[in-house]
Amino acid sequence: MRKKIYYIYNPTTLNYDRVYPSLWERIFTVMRHLFMGILIGVGIFAGLNYFIDSPQEKKMKKEQEELLLQYNLMSKQLDEALTVLSDIQQRDDNLYRVLLQGEPIPATTRKAGLGADNRYNHLSSLPDADLVISTAKKVDQLRRQLYIQAQSFDEIVELGRTHEDRLKCIPAIQPVANKDLKRTASGYGWRTDPIYKTRRFHEGMDFTAPIGTPVYVTGDGTVEFAGWQKGYGNTVVIDHGYGYKTRYAHLSKILTQRARKVKRGEEIALVGNTGKSTGPHLHYEVIYKGQHVNPVNYYYMDLSPEEYDNMIQLAENQGQVMD
């Protein structure tokens, strides 16, 4: 390649004189060309880098897409697992615990410890942060609820193990011989007071019977009280465990004593007319976890379905109590 030669017109001589650039001019020219080349190269590189991915970038994008796909799949699988767990929880509360007479687990207990959203702040800077945080929350929710459910099943197993003993202790027969139901005098609920003639809540059931009629304990338990109580007269209170207690009042004679173990059907007293009473009868109460409940719901071991329906009607229709 031939070296370029530069000329400049001289108006004095009317000739073209050859130009010999100085060293600095040559250096400046070279640097200018070099700078322009670098500038153009950088521009081309930036454009290619912006519009065309490098092999490494292509690989990273592919990995990110696969990771996003895995997160979406995991999120769907967690939703399915939570749905299955919800079904198990409902069966636990509405079937297993009902059959074994256990208390349902409160929703506040099942969802405890799931409200702290700031624990996921460190994930907010990640790509697709909303999906990552949502998935993390579902994992924590599933782990927590599985832990609660595992504890619940341990309790269910224990309830099943003690179920036979529980059935023996639940008050499940009538406290006096009353197969024909003719001794049913008054039921549980609002009734007319026999003395004051006002309406008051009757917390038990009354059974009419001659003085001296045997009174039977309605479930296995321990005698908690045997003696005189104001209004009730001679009274026996049995603690059956599992939250159940029964009271037998207006007795003529007590045939047991405090702290004694008793079995369902065992004779513990005789019907009387002591305390606030208008005639010989037995006043009988069922107490569950400190609250009076309707005794008519606890005669399932003593009556047929037809007799049970008849008992409910009799108990509901008797409007005046005897104590």
Side-chain angles (χ1 to χ4, degrees), residues 150-223:
Q151 287 188 319
S152 176
F153 279 147
D154 289 341
E155 184 180 348
I156 290 294
V157 170
E158 181 63 20
L159 287 173
R161 188 182 66 81
T162 60
H163 187 54
E164 183 177 354
D165 181 64
R166 179 190 295 266
L167 290 177
K168 293 178 181 178
C169 294
I170 293 175
I173 63 173
Q174 296 181 89
V176 295
N178 188 33
K179 191 66 175 175
D180 57 8
L181 307 182
K182 291 181 179 180
R183 289 177 170 172
T184 305
S186 180
Y188 174 91
W190 288 98
R191 297 291 185 268
T192 302
D193 188 285
I195 297 176
Y196 303 108
K197 306 303 180 183
T198 58
R199 283 178 62 79
R200 67 177 178 82
F201 196 85
H202 190 226
E203 296 178 331
M205 288 188 67
D206 292 339
F207 297 88
T208 57
I211 293 177
T213 300
V215 175
Y216 306 105
V217 64
T218 56
D220 294 5
T222 303
V223 179

Side-chain angles (χ1 to χ4, degrees), residues 26-299:
R26 292 177 182 177
I27 293 175
F28 176 76
T29 301
V30 171
M31 293 299 294
R32 183 181 61 189
H33 291 171
L34 181 61
F35 176 75
M36 290 299 296
I38 292 174
L39 187 62
I40 293 172
V42 169
I44 294 174
F45 177 79
L48 292 175
N49 188 58
Y50 182 79
F51 292 105
I52 303 176
D53 293 333
S54 66
Q56 185 176 3
E57 288 176 330
K58 290 181 179 179
K59 182 179 178 181
M60 290 178 63
K61 283 188 176 181
K62 185 177 180 180
E63 290 176 351
Q64 185 175 349
E65 290 174 356
E66 291 177 353
L67 184 61
L68 183 61
L69 181 63
Q70 290 296 325
Y71 265 107
N72 279 308
L73 180 61
M74 184 187 301
S75 180
K76 291 180 181 179
Q77 290 174 339
L78 287 170
D79 286 337
E80 293 173 358
L82 287 169
T83 300
V84 172
L85 181 57
S86 177
D87 181 64
I88 293 174
Q89 291 170 345
Q90 292 179 15
R91 293 189 184 190
D92 183 14
D93 288 338
N94 302 323
L95 179 61
Y96 308 140
R97 289 180 173 273
V98 170
L99 290 175
L100 297 175
Q101 297 184 330
E103 291 293 330
I105 297 177
T108 53
T109 301
R110 290 192 183 277
K111 297 180 179 180
L114 299 177
D117 288 340
N118 56 355
R119 62 193 296 184
Y120 307 105
N121 289 344
H122 66 286
L123 301 175
S124 59
S125 60
L126 296 176
D128 301 297
D130 290 342
L131 177 59
V132 174
I133 292 174
S134 174
T135 305
K137 286 182 178 180
K138 290 176 184 178
V139 170
D140 287 344
Q141 180 182 359
L142 183 62
R143 181 172 61 245
R144 171 63 180 172
Q145 293 189 16
L146 280 174
Y147 174 75
I148 296 297
Q149 190 58 51
Q151 287 188 319
S152 176
F153 279 147
D154 289 341
E155 184 180 348
I156 290 294
V157 170
E158 181 63 20
L159 287 173
R161 188 182 66 81
T162 60
H163 187 54
E164 183 177 354
D165 181 64
R166 179 190 295 266
L167 290 177
K168 293 178 181 178
C169 294
I170 293 175
I173 63 173
Q174 296 181 89
V176 295
N178 188 33
K179 191 66 175 175
D180 57 8
L181 307 182
K182 291 181 179 180
R183 289 177 170 172
T184 305
S186 180
Y188 174 91
W190 288 98
R191 297 291 185 268
T192 302
D193 188 285
I195 297 176
Y196 303 108
K197 306 303 180 183
T198 58
R199 283 178 62 79
R200 67 177 178 82
F201 196 85
H202 190 226
E203 296 178 331
M205 288 188 67
D206 292 339
F207 297 88
T208 57
I211 293 177
T213 300
V215 175
Y216 306 105
V217 64
T218 56
D220 294 5
T222 303
V223 179
E224 180 180 89
F225 178 86
W228 184 273
Q229 283 188 338
K230 183 179 179 181
Y232 290 109
N234 289 327
T235 303
V236 174
V237 177
I238 305 295
D239 186 350
H240 301 275
Y242 304 103
Y244 288 98
K245 292 183 180 181
T246 51
R247 175 180 279 117
Y248 312 77
H250 307 302
L251 308 169
S252 62
K253 186 176 182 180
I254 296 173
L255 304 179
T256 188
Q257 57 187 2
R258 186 176 180 277
R260 180 179 174 183
K261 300 289 184 182
V262 291
K263 296 290 185 180
R264 177 185 288 140
E266 182 177 332
E267 187 176 343
I268 57 171
L270 302 177
V271 171
N273 190 29
T274 59
K276 179 176 172 288
S277 173
T278 58
H281 77 287
L282 171 70
H283 174 79
Y284 172 65
E285 297 176 1
V286 176
I287 305 164
Y288 180 61
K289 293 187 175 181
Q291 301 294 323
H292 285 83
V293 294
N294 195 341
V296 79
N297 297 325
Y298 291 88
Y299 300 141

